[in-house]
Structures are given as C-alpha cells and as structure tokens.
Amino acid sequence: MTSHQNSQTMKPATAAKKLGVYLEATPADFQEGVVSRAELAELQANPPAWLKELRQNGPHPRPVVASKLGVSISGLARGGITEALTTEQIEALKAEAPEWLVKERATQADVRKETVRIKERNAQREAERAAREQDA
C-alpha cells in the first residue's frame, strides 16, 4: 500500500496566523495566493527576508502584541489597542508603562498563578485517587 501526500492548501490569512505575522504587511503575492502545507513548512524552516523582517520588526498581529506585552488579547482591547503594532511601538508602550498595561500584566500574572494552582490540585487529587484504587 502506498501513501500519497495530498497537497492541502490554506488561505493566506490562515498561513499568516500560523507564521505569526500580520497578513496586511505580507507581500501582495502571499496575500493573493494560496499556501500549501509544503510551502508553509518551507517558510517556517527557511524564512525569506520579508518574513524575518516582519517577525523582528512587525507590524505584529494582536496575539503577538499581547504576548510581547505580557497581557491577554482581551487586555489589549481593554487598553484600547485594536490594531497591529510594530516592535518599536511595543517597546515604547513597555517603557511608558501606562496604568492599563500595569493592571493587565498583574491580572495575567494572577491568571497564570491560578492555572498552576489548579493543575497542581488536580494532579494531587489524581494521585490520591490512584492510591485509593491501588489499596482497594
């Protein structure tokens, strides 16, 4: 039995999301075409100059901006950030440290702590359950 690889394609928006770049900042031929899985893998493995430039300097899509600022995407919206930002703009925001950013970073830190606490609690419960089953 032989297996052949189906050449699946994706819309440029999907490929841009997977690459972590802002679609509107990509070259026109990328925006207007379709991207196969093989092409996406090649772009990830050997990024061309335009992709390296976008990843380094932006403009970055909101999930990347949120990550670089250490906040959630919702936190960005609450802070009034609704568009893509460049690395320079992100660094300026960090340096300025507006009140909303400080608050959202604290909220995000609390969420992370709570996530770890719940994970540890669930692991403890699972260990106790397994021990009870072993004793039975």
Side-chain angles (χ1 to χ4, degrees):
M1 182 178 213
T2 60
S3 67
H4 63 57
Q5 196 166 17
N6 188 358
S7 180
Q8 294 179 332
T9 59
M10 61 191 83
K11 294 177 183 175
T14 303
K17 188 174 184 178
K18 289 180 182 280
L19 292 169
V21 295
Y22 186 57
L23 178 63
E24 285 76 9
T26 61
D29 60 331
F30 181 87
Q31 292 180 39
E32 295 164 3
V34 294
V35 180
S36 70
R37 292 199 181 274
E39 290 169 332
L40 179 66
E42 179 61 26
L43 285 169
Q44 289 171 324
N46 301 307
W50 65 264
L51 183 53
K52 287 178 185 176
E53 173 68 19
L54 280 178
R55 284 179 169 169
Q56 184 173 355
N57 299 317
H60 303 286
R62 287 185 313 136
V64 174
V65 173
S67 175
K68 286 179 179 278
L69 289 174
V71 300
S72 67
I73 295 172
S74 299
L76 279 182
R78 287 189 292 271
I81 306 296
T82 58
E83 288 143 27
L85 298 179
T86 64
T87 301
E88 188 177 309
Q89 291 169 314
I90 293 168
E91 292 305 319
L93 258 177
K94 284 180 180 178
E96 183 184 319
E99 185 179 331
W100 71 266
L101 181 58
V102 173
K103 182 181 175 215
E104 290 299 335
R105 282 181 160 174
T107 299
Q108 191 70 6
D110 290 344
V111 167
R112 286 188 193 111
K113 285 181 201 170
E114 182 65 5
T115 301
V116 168
R117 186 192 69 77
I118 290 170
K119 189 175 183 178
E120 289 171 350
R121 182 199 67 194
N122 290 345
Q124 176 71 26
R125 286 180 179 174
E126 181 60 27
E128 290 169 0
R129 185 191 61 75
R132 280 193 308 271
E133 285 180 2
Q134 229 175 20
D135 290 343

